[in-house]
Amino acid sequence: MLTIDQKERILRQAGVAVPDFPPGHARTAARNPDVGEKAMSSKARMPPEARQEAVAQWAASIEALYVEYVAKRAAKSLRDAEDARRLGMLREAAQRGPDHY
């Protein structure tokens, strides 16, 4: 099973707009070296409970976006398979000629 971080990376690589990791969390500095804990304003710093809630909401957003991304990929794959099947049938019919309809 993929982690939230892996799902986020897949979404970003696919060009999906994903929300930034919540500010005020220790992992924010690791994910975004330009924004360290010291560089954040006092408003960006949150109590631990609020940080946990923000991370949980962020993770839920990533999860929802990933489910949508996977569903779209699956639907595209099914459409592509159906198109290939129809094209194969048309080619086969064309090779048999008009007498075999």
Side-chain angles (χ1 to χ4, degrees):
M1 179 170 232
L2 296 174
T3 66
I4 290 295
D5 291 336
Q6 291 169 324
K7 291 175 182 180
E8 178 196 22
R9 191 174 326 113
I10 290 167
L11 290 169
R12 286 188 190 278
Q13 288 173 345
V16 176
V18 296
D20 290 330
F21 196 77
H25 190 276
R27 285 177 46 197
T28 303
R31 291 171 164 270
N32 215 352
D34 297 337
V35 181
E37 192 72 31
K38 292 178 184 175
M40 285 190 284
S41 69
S42 59
K43 286 185 178 182
R45 293 190 187 115
M46 298 181 242
E49 301 82 25
R51 276 188 242 151
Q52 288 176 345
E53 180 61 29
V55 171
Q57 288 176 353
W58 173 84
S61 296
I62 296 296
E63 194 67 48
L65 287 168
Y66 188 76
V67 167
E68 183 180 339
Y69 167 74
V70 169
K72 284 181 180 179
R73 281 191 53 190
K76 183 184 181 317
S77 180
L78 289 172
R79 283 191 307 272
D80 291 348
E82 179 61 15
D83 290 346
R85 184 189 71 80
R86 287 182 182 173
L87 183 59
M89 288 175 56
L90 287 171
R91 285 183 179 155
E92 192 177 301
Q95 287 177 350
R96 285 188 301 227
D99 297 336
H100 291 87
Y101 288 112

